[in-house]
Amino acid sequence: MKATQSDAGAPAPREELDLTGRKQMVGNVLSNWSFQLVYIASGFILPRLIDHHLGQVLLGVWDFAWSVSAYYSLVQVGIVSSITRSVARYYAVRDTHGLNRAVSSVAFILVCMSMVIVALDVGTAVWGLPQFEANKLGPNMVQAQWTVGLLGLEVAIQTFMAPYGGVLTGCHRWKLFNGIQAIGFAVSAVAMIAAILMGRGLAMIAFLHCAGLLGTWVAIAVASHRVLPGLKVRLSLATR
């Protein structure tokens, strides 16, 4: 009887906590597909609306701005993907100190990289476009500068906040991570569609997209602290 009571009061074994993420694999994959479907659907709708309401020329400017900002992600050189592995490694053995040290170390590197991206973005928008694309952009130069600047700022925000996304995915909370992204993207897409229908320019559309992404990553940061109450991302914890 005493043994039974002792077993009943004992903490759950580690296998029940699903530290490997095997029990959540199917749900995580399905949530990832769901987010991708939302992203793909908006990719069909938004360009058509821009073309129909703002014109084909501004649609070309929009695509051009996305192409330019996409190059900024190369600055990350794959470091973002390393966060998930490091978090999963320390989470599996319940080493909170090691996890905080790894996340803080990567976060320090990504902060530096985000500042490089901001510098490249400002340089491209303020100096590069007028210098090399003035003839092509013509009267759309100002809109192109704001659009490139805001979409490039998104890449810097994603780079800066990436450690928090790595915490959720490293803890196998892909459903939560993808759910927050899907909701945030859907809200920003609705706002962008409303702005297009109201005849707003590309700069406003890019601003709404950037604001939606910022709100999404703030929510991800809050969720990561709830999933790991002991999470600390501090410069003092960063190591070589």
Side-chain angles (χ1 to χ4, degrees):
M1 185 67 179
K2 292 183 179 180
T4 303
Q5 291 177 346
S6 176
D7 292 341
R14 290 187 173 183
E15 288 74 15
E16 295 184 8
L17 297 176
D18 190 23
L19 298 179
T20 63
R22 294 175 182 174
K23 298 179 182 179
Q24 306 176 58
M25 182 175 296
V26 175
N28 290 337
V29 172
L30 292 176
S31 69
N32 192 35
W33 287 355
S34 300
F35 168 68
Q36 293 300 327
L37 288 175
V38 173
Y39 189 82
I40 292 171
S42 65
F44 280 102
I45 296 173
L46 289 173
R48 285 179 173 271
L49 289 176
I50 294 175
D51 184 19
H52 182 71
H53 291 273
L54 301 181
Q56 190 174 18
V57 174
L58 289 182
L59 175 60
V61 174
W62 178 255
D63 291 338
F64 169 75
W66 272 108
S67 299
V68 172
S69 62
Y71 284 106
Y72 299 149
S73 61
L74 297 176
V75 176
Q76 301 170 2
V77 294
I79 291 180
V80 170
S81 60
S82 70
I83 304 173
T84 299
R85 177 188 178 279
S86 298
V87 170
R89 173 188 174 188
Y90 290 107
Y91 178 70
V93 295
R94 303 308 248 182
D95 184 358
T96 303
H97 176 70
L99 188 150
N100 288 334
R101 186 178 57 194
V103 173
S104 298
S105 300
V106 176
F108 172 76
I109 299 174
L110 292 179
V111 166
C112 297
M113 290 184 169
S114 64
M115 290 189 292
V116 172
I117 292 173
V118 170
L120 291 173
D121 185 39
V122 173
T124 301
V126 176
W127 179 80
L129 294 184
Q131 186 72 20
F132 299 104
E133 301 293 338
N135 294 332
K136 296 180 181 179
L137 294 174
N140 299 309
M141 174 60 71
V142 175
Q143 289 205 67
Q145 287 179 297
W146 276 106
T147 305
V148 169
L150 288 168
L151 295 183
L153 180 61
E154 287 188 12
V155 181
I157 293 173
Q158 287 178 312
T159 302
F160 179 80
M161 302 290 285
Y164 296 107
V167 169
L168 291 184
T169 55
C171 294
H172 314 296
R173 301 299 297 271
W174 283 92
K175 287 184 286 186
L176 179 60
F177 179 64
N178 289 322
I180 294 174
Q181 287 193 103
I183 293 173
F185 193 83
V187 171
S188 64
V190 171
M192 292 165 65
I193 291 173
I196 294 172
L197 296 178
M198 293 172 61
R200 302 293 184 180
L202 287 184
M204 176 57 69
I205 298 171
F207 171 78
L208 292 173
H209 195 279
C210 184
L213 181 135
L214 176 60
T216 298
W217 277 100
V218 169
I220 289 174
V222 172
S224 67
H225 282 283
R226 289 184 178 274
V227 171
L228 282 179
L231 176 64
K232 297 178 182 179
V233 183
R234 299 175 180 174
L235 179 61
S236 59
L237 295 175
T239 65
R240 292 184 181 180

